[in-house]
């Protein structure tokens, strides 16, 4: 599963709508990434979501980087950036398969917002929102 996701990450890195792209490195190896987009249209090409606050995409940690607290640090970095930019909230979308990530998001105070869910390849892509101001 990681190999497929890794290819998606490489393709996503070339998205011209990325507002910020943060990475983590450990012992000269890139081990994690997180992307921020300004709107749902820029993040997904979907006008229907109508989200005009930052959206986190592709918070990903390579298996070699797990357990180092890297996901927390990148999430904090994204939240701090959005808050400093005067944003009121930050959103993300994920699937139920990302159990550990969902637990992390909930610990940070992200709340489920099903009205902003969407579907991709017959899967529900669940929305979470964190008020930051």
């Amino acid at each position: 599963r990681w190999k497929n996701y890794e290819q998606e990450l490489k393709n996503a890195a070339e998205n011209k709508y990325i507002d910020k792209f943060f990475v983590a490195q450990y012992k000269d190896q890139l081990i994690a990434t997180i992307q921020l987009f300004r709107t749902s249209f820029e993040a997904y090409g979907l006008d229907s979501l109508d989200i005009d606050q930052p959206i986190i995409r592709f918070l990903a940690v390579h298996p070699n980087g797990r357990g180092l607290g890297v996901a927390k640090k990148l999430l904090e970095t994204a939240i701090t950036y959005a808050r400093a930019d005067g944003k009121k909230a930050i959103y993300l979308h994920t699937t139920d398969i990302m159990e550990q990530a969902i637990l992390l998001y909930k610990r940070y105070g992200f709340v489920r917002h099903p009205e902003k869910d969407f579907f991709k390849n017959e899967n529900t892509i669940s929305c979470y929102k964190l008020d930051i101001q």
Side-chain angles (χ1 to χ4, degrees), residues 41-86:
F41 179 77
E42 291 179 358
Y44 306 110
L46 298 173
D47 286 324
S48 60
L49 291 178
D50 195 31
I51 299 171
D52 65 351
Q53 296 293 311
I55 296 181
I56 292 171
R57 290 207 63 202
F58 292 107
L59 172 56
V61 179
H62 189 277
N64 294 346
R66 298 205 178 127
L68 300 174
V70 178
K72 287 190 246 182
K73 184 64 177 169
L74 285 175
L75 190 57
E76 289 169 6
T77 299
I79 293 166
T80 299
Y81 172 79
R83 187 178 286 131
D85 198 30

Side-chain angles (χ1 to χ4, degrees), residues 40 43-46 48-49 51 55-57 92-95 112-127:
S40 54
Y44 306 110
L46 298 173
S48 60
L49 291 178
I51 299 171
I55 296 181
I56 292 171
R57 290 207 63 202
L92 59 85
H93 288 83
T94 190
T95 62
R112 187 83 169 78
H113 276 264
E115 72 279 4
K116 299 293 185 180
D117 289 357
F118 65 95
F119 301 93
K120 180 179 178 184
N121 302 328
E122 300 182 20
N123 295 309
T124 300
I125 311 300
S126 303
C127 181

Side-chain angles (χ1 to χ4, degrees), residues 16 19 21 33 38 50 57 64 73 84 87 101 129:
K16 68 180 180 179
D19 180 34
F21 192 149
T33 68
R38 290 182 199 92
D50 195 31
R57 290 207 63 202
N64 294 346
K73 184 64 177 169
K87 302 304 180 187
K129 175 186 176 188

